[in-house]
Amino acid sequence: VIGVVRAVNGTYTLVPSPIPDVRVRAPRVTNAGRDAWHVIFVTGALSTPSNALMFDTATIWYGHFEKSTWTRIERVATVRSGSLLLGSSSSLINLRGEVAFAYAFERPFSTDQSTQVHSGVVLLRGGHGAPWRTDTLQTWEAPRTVELVASEDSASLLAVVAQSTFRERRRWPPSLFLAQFDGAWHQPVEVVSQSPRYISGLAAQRAGRRLFVTWRSGLPGEQLERLEWGTLDGADQVHHRGSIASLIDIDRPVIVPLGDRTILWGVREGTSRSAMHFFVARDTAVMDVGVIKVPLQNFVTPSAQLAGGLIALATGAIDPAGTVSPASIVSLVQLKCGP
């Protein structure tokens, strides 16, 4: 089982693994029409000698799930030394007649001159019955994380990348870069630097006419990081709006667009395993909307916006007596922030 579908009447259906008896990792999902979804997922073993979060060799797969059945499963690409986990690679997004996904890579150093590109971002486009195509953005060092967002008309893409820079004869902590793709990659532009703090954990969501960018910043050796946010102003500028909250470095926040120019963040309340703190931004201002009790034994909390203003959170619970197996619990949250 890799997921769950909630029907309009409130009933739940489990989503079976697309490849039985094979461990499926890092699924990404986007809408494919009524009762249908596009899915990208990964199979393979983690760990390279230099990066325990990178796949030595992995396979990226595409699946189409409709109603309660996998109607299509196809192999997309075989990847060497790729960062494919959630939080390192991008969301799956819809384009005109296809879907897109991006990941960072870093090949081991080689004297083989035929290997021209050693690190960068790979963009995959295809699905919907279209053939899969790749486009590579070369970077001087492997990005720490990459996220994709489509233009309002879905005619072009913008990659938001966190990677280190080298200038003034020294290496600087990862900064935030933007790179546009409109059939070919444009040169990345540095838009946010918080040195000596590093930047990681990118997310980008369009909420109506506003595009929100969220990231984490931290200092080496510190367990707590800051959840930061900004808005995209033009094709090459991110306005850093400030910090939202502190969070443990292994936690991934909940981020849900709520409507035009409005977005929701949820983070663990301190070190609690039973409470989540929520914040809402409207355009350029953040509101603290309070703490909600939910089981929170997990560090990654998948979320989705449902009809009627509901937000579904998939959280984890562990029986302290050890009499039952760990369970996933879907919590439904409804926020009322006034007119």
Side-chain angles (χ1 to χ4, degrees), residues 124-312:
L124 292 168
R125 294 176 295 148
H128 289 274
W132 289 93
R133 307 179 306 286
T134 63
D135 295 275
T136 301
L137 171 67
Q138 183 175 2
T139 59
W140 85 277
E141 182 180 82
R144 180 177 286 234
T145 181
V146 58
E147 181 61 291
L148 289 178
V149 63
S151 60
E152 288 192 71
D153 60 1
S154 296
S156 62
L157 287 168
L158 191 67
V160 189
V161 177
Q163 73 166 66
S164 298
T165 57
F166 188 86
R167 60 180 183 272
E168 301 171 1
R169 299 184 179 182
R170 58 165 287 193
R171 184 177 183 271
W172 294 76
S175 299
L176 199 65
F177 289 78
L178 298 178
Q180 189 174 5
F181 180 85
D182 54 9
W185 283 110
H186 294 228
Q187 184 70 22
V189 177
E190 186 176 13
V191 291
V192 176
S193 175
Q194 293 184 267
S195 182
R197 304 184 71 85
Y198 60 80
I199 288 176
S200 65
L202 293 176
Q205 282 87 11
R206 186 175 297 283
R209 293 166 290 172
R210 174 66 77 187
L211 196 152
F212 293 90
V213 181
T214 307
W215 66 92
R216 309 157 69 107
S217 73
L219 293 170
E222 291 190 358
Q223 185 181 16
L224 284 181
E225 296 180 332
R226 292 199 308 230
L227 189 63
E228 315 263 6
W229 75 290
T231 53
L232 183 69
D233 301 313
D236 59 359
Q237 183 180 3
V238 171
H239 189 153
H240 181 198
R241 300 291 179 180
S243 300
I244 304 162
S246 295
L247 71 168
I248 303 171
D249 56 5
I250 56 176
D251 268 340
R252 290 187 68 233
V254 170
I255 309 174
V256 182
L258 295 182
D260 189 29
R261 297 175 177 265
T262 306
I263 194 167
L264 167 80
W265 295 282
V267 299
R268 186 188 304 273
E269 174 68 352
T271 58
S272 172
R273 301 205 173 199
S274 60
M276 183 167 280
H277 202 146
F278 288 93
F279 303 84
V280 169
R282 282 184 171 171
D283 206 8
T284 60
V286 175
M287 296 182 296
D288 183 335
V289 294
V291 177
I292 295 176
K293 294 291 185 180
V294 293
L296 202 58
Q297 297 283 354
N298 48 294
F299 299 109
V300 178
T301 306
S303 57
Q305 186 178 16
L306 306 177
L310 292 175
I311 299 166

Side-chain angles (χ1 to χ4, degrees), residues 16-24 41 43 61 70 73:
S17 174
I19 307 177
D21 302 322
V22 174
R23 183 173 183 182
V24 171
F41 58 93
T43 59
W61 300 79
W70 291 100
I73 298 172

